[in-house]
Amino acid sequence: MPVLALVDCNAFYASCERVFRPDLAHRPVVVLSNNDGCIVARSPEAKALGIRMGQPAFQCADLLRRHQVAVFSSNYALYGDMSARVMDTLARFSPAMEVYSIDEAFLDLAGLPDPEAHARRMRETVRRHTGIPVSVGIGPTKTLAKIANRLAKTDPACGGVLDLCGRDDLERILGGVEVEEVWGIGRRHAAWLRGLGVRSALEFSRLPREVVRRRMTVVGLSTLLELQGVSCLDLEQAPAPPKSVVASRSFGRPVTEAGEMREAVAFHAARAAERLRGKGCVAGNILVFVQTNRFIAGEPQYAVSDTAAFAVPTADTAAVIRQGQAVLERIFKPGFRYKKTGVMLYGLEPAAARRGSLLESPRDAARSRALMQVVDGINARHGRDAVTFAATGVDRPWRMRQGSRSPRYTTVWDELPEVRAG
DNA sequence: TCTGGGGTCCTAGGACCC
DNA sequence: TCTGGGGTCCTAGGACCC
């Protein structure tokens, strides 16, 4: 029987901000999504105020002001770096670990005499080394570990750790878990289940398998079996190679001009190509999309995408920009107030595995790789965007708002926190 | 005025091939 | 005139996750 622990950082982004702002220790803190649009992280004090996850910031602006909530724009350089520190610490507690997301990891704790005690040590160590509070849920399957983790977080009696392995009151516990709280059951399926009269994780786990499979596919069936203690989702230690890379953003204000749109597409194309190189891949295909603001009722809506294949799989910024703009030409229609655009690169393969092609000369390919290496090298040393392509624009009047970003404390020299004596 | 961004997996259906 | 069965690949759409 597997023993799986899910370690999940509490209010991760908000906790990262607090590490560098001890004055905020017991104050409500929220972090906003890109473009300062939605709430994406809330400290416990902010949760207590009734601020919802994913809530548009403008809707609760009043509440934020009234309770003097500390508000931060998201700062991914900081969160990514803090995440790496947490994961490094966790890795010392198990030989088998899966980094599941920026703030979560599954660990295999099988064979330990006392997994719960181990988890408590782990929790203390992460806290001491990084300042980030975490919760640990333990169970015989990933889905049950997820549930354990949620209970560990919400029930103060747990002290941040809960082990569901070998509990004889498991059914009672699952009976108290709302069906929409189960990992893998989203809004649509929850609504359908409620319609059937299914309210709890326990009731879901007792549905006929064929009924679940027909409506929720094999994915839903796995969830059901995992709740019964049958492990269907393995620990994935090696990260799977990526299948696609996306770069997209909402605009800071509506865009109507083709020229601005071309700039933005070039900008995202360059970002996507950069990320692709970072992963050591080349892409065979590109997709470009544009869309208007679907929240504005009565305004003409337009949302389309189109794709193109590269003659030769590539990670060359110039090639990606060129092809991206060619696709944009086909889909851009004047007369709309655009909200967002983006570029997806897919059909990825490892750059190293690629063989030469009749369509490109080996010399061109080598020159492209050398140029990209120089660009990436300069940007790594002197900051992102030290060298850019002219097509990506200079002033970028369409770029997103980001009013309250904290310093990149741990990744940019100029923004290191200072400690003053006395 | 203001509503994120980046991913994965599954299924169905069409094109095409033998 | 009739009109199989099996396979692959691709795309679009839906659902979910953090």
Side-chain angles (χ1 to χ4, degrees), chain A residues 261-262 265-266 269 286-289 306 308 310 317-331 341-343 345:
Chain A
M261 188 63 97
R262 270 197 295 273
V265 166
I286 182 171
L287 176 147
V288 178
F289 68 86
D306 201 0
F310 293 106
T317 297
V320 175
I321 290 178
R322 212 178 309 124
Q323 195 64 275
Q325 295 195 331
V327 175
L328 177 66
E329 288 307 308
R330 298 204 298 268
I331 59 177
T341 183
V343 169
L345 299 174

Side-chain angles (χ1 to χ4, degrees), chain A residues 20 40 45 49 54 80 91 108 121-122 126 129 165 182 221 227 254 256 279 292 407:
Chain A
F20 296 91
V40 293
E45 300 79 12
L49 292 176
D108 184 359
R121 281 194 296 277
M122 190 153 74
V126 172
H129 288 192
C165 289
V182 175
L221 183 56
L227 287 174
T256 54
K279 294 170 188 289
T292 49

Side-chain angles (χ1 to χ4, degrees), chain A residues 4-75:
Chain A
L4 292 169
L6 174 66
V7 182
D8 188 322
C9 301
N10 301 347
F12 182 54
Y13 299 167
S15 298
C16 288
E17 299 291 349
R18 280 222 277 230
V19 167
F20 296 91
R21 290 286 306 275
D23 57 303
L24 299 179
H26 302 290
R27 284 191 38 204
V29 174
V30 300
V31 177
L32 305 180
S33 63
N34 277 307
N35 223 20
D36 290 348
C38 299
I39 309 281
V40 293
R42 309 156 297 158
S43 73
E45 300 79 12
K47 285 176 193 170
L49 292 176
I51 298 167
R52 293 193 318 278
M53 180 69 179
Q55 193 174 10
F58 74 88
Q59 275 180 11
C60 52
D62 229 36
L63 194 69
L64 297 176
R65 208 168 324 111
R66 259 203 328 274
H67 292 88
Q68 298 177 31
V69 177
V71 178
F72 293 91
S73 301
S74 36
N75 182 348

